[in-house]
Amino acid sequence: MTVTLNRPERLNAQTPAMWAALADIGAQLPGDVRVVVLRGAGAAFSSGVDVGLFAASPAGESELSAIASLPEWAAAERICEFQRAFTWWSRPDVITVAAVHGHVIGAGFQLALACDLRIAADDARFSLPEASLGLVPDLGGTRALVRAVGYARALEICLTGRAVGAPEALALGLVNLVVGLDDLDPAVDDCVAAILATPRTTATEIKALLSGALGRTEQQQLAAEREAQVRRLKEGHGIGD
């Protein structure tokens, strides 16, 4: 299954309506889907949050100022609604792949980070400019960024807002592969084919082992590996409990 950000005239700038649509896709994902590929139409993956959210409406306030005027609990709940567009990409029963090119900025960067794997064209440029606006990344990107590059590098990327080009992103572990723009689609297709060649239960067991590894002790991880392998052996030999 492929999900495409389709506002190419705005470099796929993101809006609350887009986040609601993405959250709905996650909630309604058919059970037989094993891999979800996320793309951006046009010249960029996503340029981040649409600047319209910062502009005053006819009522005299912007979307962000309207959120700021809410009680703290209500403002937090509104942001929680936005986050639902990002959190489902790490669900345990599917593998998600972001195919990124051009601008991968702010919310766009965080959406790519939400996916399990990232394949980038060599023109991709990643940045998190929120700090320059007096804001923080709040769409699930901070945890994923630290896991990808470590605390110190994540802090530097967030505080400076600097652009990270595709070669550096590969060296830092932000992306799994960098290819020429014309080769992006074939590279993603190859990745998806390799994933689909693996039995679904094997893929989900491996994802669970790896995604939870840093939160377990060595002994807990060894136990998790044993339990997963026993399940695979029993299933492979048609032996039920």
Side-chain angles (χ1 to χ4, degrees):
M1 178 177 174
T2 298
V3 176
T4 302
L5 307 179
N6 194 25
R7 298 185 72 210
E9 74 286 356
R10 300 286 293 173
L11 297 179
N12 300 315
Q14 299 177 33
T15 65
M18 181 184 286
W19 294 332
L22 288 171
D24 285 344
I25 290 171
Q28 299 171 20
L29 195 69
D32 61 348
V33 172
R34 292 187 54 192
V35 180
V36 181
V37 175
L38 176 63
R39 303 177 183 274
F45 176 72
S46 175
S47 59
V49 171
D50 194 300
V51 295
L53 271 69
F54 296 88
S57 69
E61 63 178 359
S62 69
E63 174 83 18
L64 294 184
S65 63
I67 294 173
S69 67
L70 295 171
E72 287 189 10
W73 67 267
E77 179 55 36
R78 183 72 172 134
I79 295 170
C80 184
E81 293 174 7
F82 300 158
Q83 290 172 333
R84 294 188 181 103
F86 295 75
T87 52
W88 71 265
W89 298 90
S90 61
R91 57 190 281 178
D93 58 330
V94 295
I95 306 298
T96 54
V97 183
V100 301
H101 68 291
H103 294 307
V104 191
I105 299 174
F109 192 177
Q110 293 185 78
L111 192 54
L113 284 168
C115 294
D116 296 311
L117 305 173
R118 287 164 290 283
I119 299 176
D122 54 14
D123 69 340
R125 289 175 65 81
F126 303 80
S127 65
L128 289 169
E130 287 85 351
S132 66
L133 302 170
L135 302 172
V136 301
D138 65 343
L139 298 169
T142 54
R143 181 173 181 267
L145 184 62
V146 170
R147 292 183 70 170
V149 303
Y151 163 76
R153 185 65 71 189
L155 183 65
E156 179 254 325
I157 288 171
C158 288
L159 289 182
T160 66
R162 70 177 180 86
V164 177
E168 184 184 2
L170 180 62
L172 292 176
L174 280 172
V175 300
N176 299 87
L177 179 68
V178 173
V179 297
L181 182 59
D182 291 341
D183 295 323
L184 182 59
D185 287 350
V188 172
D189 291 343
D190 287 347
C191 179
V192 171
I195 294 169
L196 293 177
T198 301
R200 180 169 195 164
T201 48
T202 299
T204 55
E205 290 275 21
I206 290 173
K207 179 173 179 176
L209 283 171
L210 297 179
S211 64
L214 295 181
R216 302 187 188 105
T217 66
E218 180 180 2
Q219 291 304 312
Q220 288 170 335
Q221 184 69 7
L222 288 170
E225 290 175 1
R226 292 193 298 270
E227 292 162 4
Q229 193 72 302
V230 168
R231 288 191 293 270
R232 300 305 310 127
L233 288 169
K234 286 185 174 293
E235 182 176 318
H237 289 80
I239 301 172
D241 291 335

